[in-house]
Amino acid sequence: MEESALIQSIRAKIANDILGFHSFRGDDTILVRRESVFAVLKMLKEEFDFNMLADLTAVDYLGQEPRFEVVYHLNSLEKNIRIRIKTPVNEGEEVDSIVSLWAIANWLEREVWDMFGIKFKDHPDLRRLLMYDEFEGHPLRKDYPINKRQPRVAPIWKGIR
Amino acid sequence: MEQVDKVLAGDGFFTSRLSDVIGWARKFSIFWYPFVTACCGMEYMSVSCAHYDIDRFGAGLPRFSPRQADVLFVVGTISQKLSPVLRRIYEQMCNPKWVVAFGVCTCTGGFYDDYATVQGIDTIIPVDLYIPGCPPRPETVLDGLVKLQQKIQDQKQAIV
């Protein structure tokens, strides 16, 4: 596959951490090893001027190994370019938190934990963000039953909470 | 005589005319509490403003405290996370009280047929009137209001 200039220059720095890469219509994606995510993102922020974390999310590829992919979207406001970093994560594995790089990652990582059950190592406050604390399971996982409902309060005529 | 005593002790004596008068008074002095959570609120605002002149039904004045309100107007999607709040608001209202489900999300959950949304507020609190629509037109809401007034008029009034 043809390499863009951006991927070439990044690859020169972190060749050992890269699992794969591709470019599609001007958007570059790099797949990196889970252990080196923090170092790669820090390097991109400091040396390639990607100063904005536009999004942090995850995908559940149920049935594949490894099961999840955590996705980081970075913007460079100076250079007006963007890049996507992905890292494969398996059930029970932890990803390094990047809250120390971008403060917005705090809530985004909490959302990923809430929806997918992926834990982030060294996160300052890894609680559910959208669902309530009593909620069981992680609703955006592909094996969460689509019709499962977990009412939080009982009907008032039952007299209990 | 024994039969008359039985009637007096039971369902009542004053039910016919006094109940009508109280019902008439109550139906034209509705103070509602708008529990607005979502996009239906826009339609609620247009209903409650001058253009549709809701004051002619005696329902022109929303109270922003549940303790002063008669009708709980639930406007917009209720998520599971919010459901204890809705229940608490209902418990804080004084009798007599009525509940209106405004919009399809409050009636059935609407197209939010998912893990996060209450599938109709009647799974938590009793509902007197359902106004369907996504969102309902102001005319539908006024029609619902007239039906609610009829319901208030026709019911047996609890005299406290």
Side-chain angles (χ1 to χ4, degrees):
Chain A
M1 189 180 290
E2 204 177 319
E3 285 181 56
S4 71
L6 177 65
I7 289 186
Q8 271 177 357
S9 55
I10 294 173
R11 244 161 64 90
K13 294 245 177 195
I14 52 165
N16 294 334
D17 299 321
I18 288 185
L19 297 171
F21 57 88
H22 61 83
S23 303
F24 182 71
R25 296 192 177 166
D27 280 336
D28 298 322
T29 304
I30 299 180
L31 206 67
V32 303
R33 293 193 302 120
R34 178 173 58 86
E35 294 82 2
S36 43
V37 157
F38 185 87
V40 169
L41 291 171
K42 190 175 161 89
M43 192 271 297
L44 287 173
K45 184 185 179 187
E46 288 169 0
E47 294 175 32
F48 287 83
D49 291 334
F50 285 105
N51 50 0
M52 175 181 170
L53 177 68
D55 200 6
L56 191 170
T57 184
V59 189
D60 182 4
Y61 295 106
L62 185 62
Q64 285 184 25
E65 279 293 313
R67 180 173 167 181
F68 301 102
E69 248 175 20
V70 177
V71 187
Y72 304 84
H73 288 185
L74 303 184
N75 267 3
S76 170
L77 297 177
E78 277 90 32
K79 297 179 182 170
N80 199 21
I81 49 174
R82 53 193 175 180
I83 193 165
R84 181 186 298 120
I85 306 294
K86 299 205 281 189
T87 185
V89 184
N90 226 331
E91 180 82 57
E93 289 178 343
E94 290 191 351
V95 187
D96 286 333
S97 170
I98 55 164
V99 175
S100 54
L101 297 179
W102 290 280
I104 184 64
N106 189 325
W107 278 27
L108 293 173
E109 286 175 355
R110 278 175 65 187
E111 187 190 3
V112 170
W113 156 246
D114 191 358
M115 294 288 129
F116 292 94
I118 298 170
K119 282 200 170 176
F120 290 87
K121 211 164 117 191
D122 299 329
H123 189 285
D125 182 26
L126 196 62
R127 287 178 294 130
R128 285 187 181 276
L129 179 69
L130 300 171
M131 304 308 293
Y132 39 100
D133 289 339
E134 305 93 321
F135 193 85
E136 287 173 9
H138 301 283
L140 288 195
R141 287 190 171 199
K142 294 293 179 201
D143 54 1
Y144 186 88
I146 194 165
N147 289 320
K148 188 174 176 188
R149 302 285 180 267
Q150 301 186 35
R152 199 177 176 197
V153 293
I156 200 161
W157 48 89
K158 295 221 169 133
I160 48 166
R161 282 191 175 271
Chain B
M1 196 58 206
E2 201 181 303
Q3 202 143 21
V4 173
D5 283 346
K6 209 169 156 188
V7 171
L8 281 175
D11 277 340
F13 182 70
F14 284 132
T15 54
S16 63
R17 302 311 300 165
L18 184 58
S19 186
D20 279 359
V21 174
I22 291 174
W24 176 85
R26 281 182 177 160
K27 79 172 178 180
F28 287 123
S29 62
I30 291 175
F31 290 81
W32 53 20
Y33 176 80
F35 190 89
V36 178
T37 58
C39 38
C40 271
M42 296 294 144
E43 216 66 17
Y44 166 76
M45 288 169 209
S46 80
V47 175
S48 59
C49 289
H51 189 80
Y52 288 93
D53 191 17
I54 203 166
D55 223 1
R56 66 197 145 138
F57 303 101
L61 210 58
R63 305 306 303 173
F64 296 106
S65 160
R67 294 173 196 278
Q68 299 171 345
D70 308 306
V71 176
L72 175 59
F73 229 62
V74 186
V75 182
T77 322
I78 303 296
S79 64
Q80 301 283 11
K81 198 171 186 173
L82 192 67
S83 56
V85 179
L86 176 63
R87 188 178 145 147
R88 180 152 188 183
I89 293 279
Y90 178 79
E91 285 170 341
Q92 283 178 339
M93 290 172 68
C94 297
N95 276 319
K97 58 187 171 185
W98 297 272
V99 178
V100 175
F102 183 115
V104 76
C105 289
T106 51
C107 294
T108 65
F111 57 67
Y112 298 108
D113 186 6
D114 60 23
Y115 56 90
T117 308
V118 174
Q119 303 296 298
I121 58 164
D122 53 4
T123 60
I124 306 170
I125 54 177
V127 175
D128 292 282
L129 181 78
Y130 298 85
I131 304 176
C134 184
R137 283 192 61 83
E139 293 85 344
T140 324
V141 181
L142 294 182
D143 184 46
L145 180 61
V146 171
K147 286 192 166 63
L148 179 68
Q149 286 183 328
Q150 197 58 50
K151 182 168 184 169
I152 294 172
Q153 173 76 75
D154 290 348
Q155 76 183 43
K156 194 180 140 193
Q157 306 299 335
I159 298 163
V160 281

